[in-house]
Amino acid sequence: MLDGQGANARGVFEGEFILEVDHVRKEFPGVVALDDVQLKIRPGTVHALMGENGAGKSTLMKIIAGVYNPDRGEVRFAGRRLEIRTPIDALNCGIAMIHQELNLMNTMTVAENIWIGREPKSGMGLIDHGEMRRMTRALFDDLGIRLDPAGMVGDLTVAQKQMVEIAKAVSFNSDVLIMDEPTSAITETEVEHLFRIIRDLRAKGVGIVYITHKMSELFEIADELTVFRDGRYIATVAASDVTRDDIIRMMVGREITDMFPKVPCEIGETILEVRNLALPGVFHDVSFDLRRGEILGVAGLVGSGRSNVAEAIFGVTPAVSGEIRISGEKVAVTSPSVAMRHGMAFLTEDRKETGCFLDLDCIENIQVALLTTGKVDNRGFVNQREVNRLAEEYAAKLRVKTPNLAETVANLSGGNQQKLLIARWLLTEPGILILDEPTRGIDVGAKAEIHRLITQLAGQGVAVLMISSELPEVLGMSDRIMVMHEGHVSGFLDRSEADQVRVMELAAK
Amino acid sequence: MATQDTNIERPAARAHRKLPPELNILLVLVGIALVFEILGWIFQGQSFLGNVGRLKIMILQVSVIGIIAVGVTQVIISGGIDLSSGSVVGAVAMVSMSLAQAAGYERAIYPALTGLPVVVPLLVGLLCGALAGFVNGWLIAYTRIPPFIATLGMMVTARGFAKWYTKGQPVSFPTDSFASLGAGMAPVMIFLLVAVIFHVAMKYTRYGKFTYAIGANAQAARVSGINVERHLVKVYVIAAVLAALAGIVVAARGQTAQAGMGMMYELDAIAMAVIGGTSLTGGRGSIIGTSIGMVIFGVIISGFTFLRLDAYYQEMIKGVIIVAAVVADTYRQQKRGKKT
């Protein structure tokens, strides 16, 4: 029924592992992304791949999908060495992948999206839409999905789109199915549905690689798990043999308390008051206070509205209702420049999209926010000598590692790019610093340095709002923690009463 | 432990700053000039570069479009494109000439407005340009239609306006002072003035630094506090005002204005910018590079004429050069992309 094009090896293949990654190494300028890693997937099992952000999971998935070539090592599929150059090669070999972000065409129908490139043809060589809808219906019946094959993808909810993605991946009838955080955008009922599909596929002998951050899912669905840390292979174990704490220890590899050098410092008067802030459909009724010298951590799952609140406070996407008071004065933050005039700074979540000017050099990256303040203007001309001096001073203070500040930023490692962006904001001498995932995707050494810096700034009286997906980071760094769940503030926890379980209870409800 | 090592990059630190990218373009210019010099001796039995008169004519020919290219370079650096400059040349040539007609000319467009001081046609012409640029910039920044479409619309509209203005009739007989704007080496001088002003603006003022930032990453520029929309309007206004200036110079030089003036100038100006190292994806380029690009453009055209190559071939070769320059830029970018 499912007419996949995959060279289906199921039933023919006798070996122990359907997919084997062996001694794979991948280097990028300045960073070893993967160092001698392995991953072995048995047919008919669900294999979870775990690791902190930056552990190398997505790099490995890109190698398997043919986006990158490994510098060393090999990937074997059904015992044969895999030579994959493009995603289509991977599909033809029998490896399907569901990416974290959606890859659907909104202006085409559900059926067209699923069978694109593989459309059934009628006798005259034209696309047979009736047959295509029939095939889609059969596929959906099999998976228990109730969606109209002729409906436009653009009219679906994010969760429904995710189900279409899953159906599409399944339709290739592949031997290996890789899922990269497939539950980040769907609700609990749909998660249950997805797990039923996964169990079905497992029973049919498909090897499933399941990348997730959620421990609860892991124990519900995974048979085996492999842990990566900082680009290295740590261990592969049976899910039934380990506890949650074991896994965290493997992922983090050190006592959490040592990682975050939070120094208690004096907390001053309230500088930022947020009242009933709302952006319909995104977040509602968000209220909190932030005081000088305080680090307020914001926890919550991806999609809980954390970043949107930060963007609203900084004026990137202003809120529709609610009130923001800065030092007691009511401020209509309609754009980032208004926020900056009131002493705010905002390190965005996505370094590449909204942070760096990758093609420009370090100085040009550091100076931009300072220039908008007009503080270094001298009769219409930029006082470049002063700007360079400040840039060099802060780059040295933050220990940015680069041959010189004329280096193009694209050539720097993630950690150093992040330090440059922090330098950019520190030059404006902010009173309120909003950090969205300040250590995402950077290595452990740079991470510790950034943590130290954040604490230092708080010690100098800067009010810090820190959003992070890494619970240990939030727990270790914050004076208080605000937890968000589906666009609402679900609770505040004091440093003394906060632990992983309490935060997760509020975040997942 | 070893993770600390990954942080330490490139042990052999380069002490010197990187060489200016314009150096490469300058070398290309020297190379092309030398090729024509050699071909000159082989096929024509004379020197190409030795003829000062020819070089003067060459510079005169390209500097009008060079004025436009200075503006277009800023638009491209900001991440956009301007296809309307050629039509703005035509429209402004008509308008300014109609206000610059000499006193006593009985077939004047506005018989009551002849013999006006030169500032009147000059200012009105530049204002027309500013208006066209404002419409371009506003559409691009606030309605978020692609620059290609917005300026394509302006290209057609402004050309239509130029034809409608006198129902297709040419406009002639300017005052002496207006004509002097295009006489002798005036176009070259005006180009040099414009190039110096905007070289300084792009390199040493916030205007220039923000233009680069927006072209490199508009989102990041916005989050850094730059008012991206307002800035883009400025960039398009400047580009169209420079096109208007070129239109005035063209009309003054020919002492006549026709609705078809400036046809395809936008493409030549874009070509000069791209040959000069301006990246069509934004964020990179310079006025110096474009000036060198302008001379390269001139050398090629003048060189082919010198070699008595048919004008039809010249057009075709021009097309090839533009595409080649973009291919070279794309290749450079891919090489960068691989590294990240």
Side-chain angles (χ1 to χ4, degrees):
Chain A
M1 178 219 61
L2 298 180
D3 186 23
Q5 294 181 335
N8 200 322
R10 231 177 288 158
V12 184
F13 172 62
E14 297 287 324
E16 192 181 0
F17 300 108
I18 182 77
L19 182 71
E20 287 170 279
V21 170
D22 233 350
H23 301 297
V24 162
R25 182 183 171 85
K26 181 70 191 170
E27 257 180 82
F28 295 108
V31 192
V32 181
L34 289 174
D35 186 9
D36 198 25
V37 298
Q38 63 171 52
L39 179 67
K40 299 198 156 119
I41 311 298
R42 294 169 209 274
T45 63
V46 176
H47 195 119
L49 180 57
M50 309 281 297
E52 286 187 289
N53 293 323
K57 293 166 299 185
S58 45
T59 307
L60 180 62
M61 292 310 116
K62 284 183 176 162
I63 286 174
I64 294 173
V67 181
Y68 298 142
N69 286 320
D71 297 334
R72 218 180 293 151
E74 62 177 17
V75 179
R76 282 190 302 275
F77 178 75
R80 295 188 313 271
R81 191 190 169 121
L82 212 53
E83 291 288 346
I84 286 177
R85 302 251 173 274
T86 67
I88 296 155
D89 287 353
L91 283 171
N92 287 337
C93 288
I95 301 173
M97 195 174 300
I98 300 169
H99 296 274
Q100 212 173 336
E101 61 279 10
L102 296 163
N103 292 300
L104 296 172
M105 286 140 285
N106 282 331
T107 54
M108 296 172 80
T109 66
V110 170
E112 283 169 333
N113 264 282
I114 290 177
W115 304 106
I116 188 149
R118 311 173 285 158
E119 296 88 350
K121 303 271 168 66
S122 68
M124 291 172 66
L126 301 175
I127 292 172
D128 185 346
H129 283 94
E131 171 66 8
M132 193 154 80
R133 278 195 293 274
R134 203 195 56 73
M135 284 159 63
T136 311
R137 225 167 284 126
L139 175 68
F140 281 3
D141 284 349
D142 219 39
L143 300 174
I145 296 172
R146 270 182 290 273
L147 284 175
D148 177 12
M152 280 291 164
V153 164
D155 298 335
L156 304 181
T157 65
V158 174
Q160 288 171 328
K161 286 183 190 175
Q162 184 71 305
M163 298 315 277
V164 174
E165 281 275 23
I166 290 162
K168 181 178 174 183
V170 171
S171 77
F172 282 96
N173 211 13
S174 304
D175 299 302
V176 172
L177 182 58
I178 298 170
M179 300 185 172
D180 192 354
E181 299 200 40
T183 58
S184 57
I186 62 181
T187 63
E188 221 152 291
T189 19
E190 285 143 348
V191 171
E192 267 317 304
H193 188 173
L194 173 65
F195 283 0
R196 275 202 304 280
I197 295 174
I198 291 177
R199 291 195 188 99
D200 258 17
L201 292 170
R202 174 168 64 187
K204 287 179 186 156
V206 178
I208 294 160
V209 184
Y210 193 89
I211 300 176
T212 185
H213 285 299
K214 299 180 189 169
M215 291 284 173
S216 51
E217 289 182 0
L218 176 79
F219 287 108
E220 193 173 338
I221 196 80
D223 301 304
E224 284 184 304
L225 62 97
T226 291
V227 178
F228 282 9
R229 181 171 77 227
D230 304 327
R232 249 164 296 183
Y233 168 81
I234 301 301
T236 299
V237 290
S240 52
D241 290 353
V242 287
T243 65
R244 185 193 189 95
D245 286 351
D246 293 335
I247 299 171
I248 292 175
R249 210 164 301 127
M250 284 193 278
M251 278 166 59
V252 179
R254 59 202 166 265
E255 283 309 311
I256 289 164
T257 43
D258 301 344
M259 257 298 283
F260 306 98
K262 169 73 182 145
V263 183
C265 55
E266 202 174 313
I267 292 177
E269 75 276 21
T270 301
I271 181 164
L272 175 71
E273 296 163 73
V274 174
R275 291 289 173 271
N276 310 106
L277 211 61
L279 187 60
V282 186
F283 58 82
H284 310 275
D285 199 24
V286 173
S287 302
F288 65 90
D289 286 346
L290 183 63
R291 299 159 70 180
R292 283 188 196 281
E294 183 185 37
I295 300 176
L296 176 62
V298 185
L301 301 176
V302 173
S304 62
R306 301 170 309 176
S307 301
N308 306 87
V309 169
E311 281 171 8
I313 295 171
F314 197 68
V316 178
T317 315
V320 171
S321 61
E323 202 175 287
I324 295 170
R325 287 178 177 274
I326 299 164
S327 305
E329 179 199 350
K330 188 179 170 182
V331 181
V333 190
T334 50
S335 74
S337 52
V338 174
M340 287 168 67
R341 270 202 296 281
H342 288 86
M344 281 202 251
F346 180 32
L347 185 75
T348 56
E349 178 183 14
D350 193 324
R351 225 172 12 245
K352 289 211 165 102
E353 288 295 314
T354 53
C356 289
F357 304 104
L358 288 172
D359 279 346
L360 303 187
D361 69 29
C362 299
I363 298 237
E364 287 167 319
N365 268 273
I366 293 178
Q367 72 186 4
V368 59
L370 177 65
L371 293 181
T372 57
T373 66
K375 282 181 195 155
V376 283
D377 249 27
N378 183 9
R379 292 192 202 115
F381 291 93
V382 173
N383 185 347
Q384 194 66 49
R385 193 172 302 168
E386 176 67 6
V387 171
N388 290 356
R389 191 189 64 72
L390 284 169
E392 266 156 38
E393 185 191 318
Y394 275 81
K397 222 187 252 179
L398 269 61
R399 287 181 244 174
V400 177
K401 277 149 199 135
T402 170
N404 58 59
L405 292 182
E407 185 68 40
T408 305
V409 164
N411 296 336
L412 266 59
S413 69
N416 282 310
Q417 289 176 352
Q418 195 74 333
K419 287 182 189 172
L420 285 181
L421 294 180
I422 294 175
R424 175 191 291 173
W425 287 115
L426 293 188
L427 284 182
T428 66
E429 299 174 338
I432 302 167
L433 182 59
I434 305 172
L435 304 168
D436 195 353
E437 304 284 5
T439 62
R440 170 181 284 183
I442 65 182
D443 59 85
V444 179
K447 224 176 210 177
E449 285 184 43
I450 287 175
H451 288 148
R452 203 170 303 128
L453 184 80
I454 295 171
T455 313
Q456 239 171 45
L457 289 166
Q460 290 160 15
V462 176
V464 180
L465 184 72
M466 187 188 75
I467 300 169
S468 174
S469 294
E470 291 178 49
L471 269 185
E473 183 170 86
V474 176
L475 291 169
M477 297 288 299
S478 315
D479 294 301
R480 269 192 315 148
I481 297 168
M482 175 169 90
V483 188
M484 291 195 65
H485 173 66
E486 292 185 357
H488 291 273
V489 176
S490 51
F492 288 90
L493 294 168
D494 217 60
R495 180 175 182 79
S496 53
E497 55 176 357
D499 59 33
Q500 299 230 358
V501 177
R502 283 202 169 140
V503 172
M504 281 319 291
E505 273 166 8
L506 288 170
K509 277 267 166 88
Chain B
M1 225 189 64
T3 49
Q4 294 286 351
D5 294 349
T6 61
N7 225 356
I8 298 161
E9 303 163 9
R10 256 150 292 173
R14 277 175 298 152
H16 59 86
R17 282 184 70 97
K18 58 191 169 187
L19 290 170
E22 286 87 0
L23 214 64
N24 284 331
I25 308 157
L26 199 61
L27 288 178
V28 171
L29 170 61
V30 170
I32 292 174
L34 286 179
V35 167
F36 279 116
E37 180 69 18
I38 293 163
L39 291 176
W41 285 109
I42 296 172
F43 294 108
Q44 306 289 329
Q46 52 167 306
S47 168
F48 172 65
L49 297 170
N51 187 333
V52 177
R54 172 161 44 239
L55 296 184
K56 249 170 112 172
I57 292 169
M58 174 202 90
I59 288 294
L60 256 174
Q61 274 176 339
V62 289
S63 39
V64 170
I65 299 177
I67 296 170
I68 302 170
V70 169
V72 165
T73 302
Q74 297 169 47
V75 169
I76 299 177
I77 289 172
S78 80
I81 195 86
D82 189 354
L83 299 178
S84 67
S85 23
S87 297
V88 170
V89 166
V92 170
M94 299 295 283
V95 171
S96 58
M97 183 59 88
S98 72
L99 293 170
Q101 288 175 307
Y105 176 53
E106 65 262 28
R107 284 194 293 152
I109 304 284
Y110 305 114
L113 296 174
T114 54
L116 297 172
V118 67
V119 295
V120 176
L122 187 63
L123 281 184
V124 172
L126 296 183
L127 224 71
C128 287
L131 179 69
F134 180 80
V135 173
N136 281 340
W138 186 85
L139 284 172
I140 291 158
Y142 293 99
T143 72
R144 299 181 188 252
I145 57 175
F148 183 89
I149 300 300
T151 59
L152 185 75
M154 182 55 70
M155 170 181 166
V156 178
T157 310
R159 184 67 68 196
F161 170 86
K163 290 176 188 162
W164 163 84
Y165 193 66
T166 59
K167 309 292 180 292
Q169 294 303 308
V171 189
S172 314
F173 290 99
T175 58
D176 289 344
S177 50
F178 186 80
S180 68
L181 290 172
M185 293 303 273
V188 182
M189 293 304 146
I190 292 173
F191 163 77
L192 282 176
L193 185 71
V194 163
V196 168
I197 289 173
F198 285 101
H199 167 71
V200 172
M202 290 302 281
K203 247 188 126 87
Y204 302 104
T205 71
R206 290 205 276 169
Y207 165 78
K209 289 174 191 292
F210 288 178
T211 308
Y212 282 100
I214 290 170
N217 185 343
Q219 294 243 57
R222 193 168 132 66
V223 175
S224 303
I226 298 174
N227 188 331
V228 174
E229 288 78 22
R230 203 168 58 200
H231 193 89
L232 283 180
V233 173
K234 280 188 211 167
V235 172
Y236 282 90
V237 166
I238 286 173
V241 165
L242 289 177
L245 182 60
I248 291 166
V249 172
V250 174
R253 182 160 194 86
Q255 305 203 7
T256 181
Q258 286 164 23
M261 269 179 167
M263 199 82 85
M264 304 287 263
Y265 279 17
E266 63 278 343
L267 293 185
D268 288 354
I270 293 168
M272 287 174 184
V274 172
I275 292 170
T278 308
S279 166
L280 280 175
T281 49
R284 261 176 302 135
S286 70
I287 303 297
I288 293 185
T290 296
S291 307
I292 301 171
M294 177 191 87
V295 179
I296 290 177
F297 200 82
V299 165
I300 290 171
I301 300 300
S302 155
F304 283 140
T305 314
F306 165 64
L307 295 176
R308 307 228 169 92
L309 202 68
D310 201 339
Y312 298 117
Y313 292 122
Q314 289 187 24
E315 289 262 318
M316 288 189 264
I317 287 164
K318 220 156 83 175
V320 172
I321 291 165
I322 295 172
V323 175
V326 178
V327 169
D329 177 54
T330 311
Y331 176 72
R332 274 199 301 269
Q333 305 231 354
Q334 274 170 358
K335 246 174 35 183
R336 271 162 190 270
K338 286 251 168 66
K339 281 199 277 182
T340 54

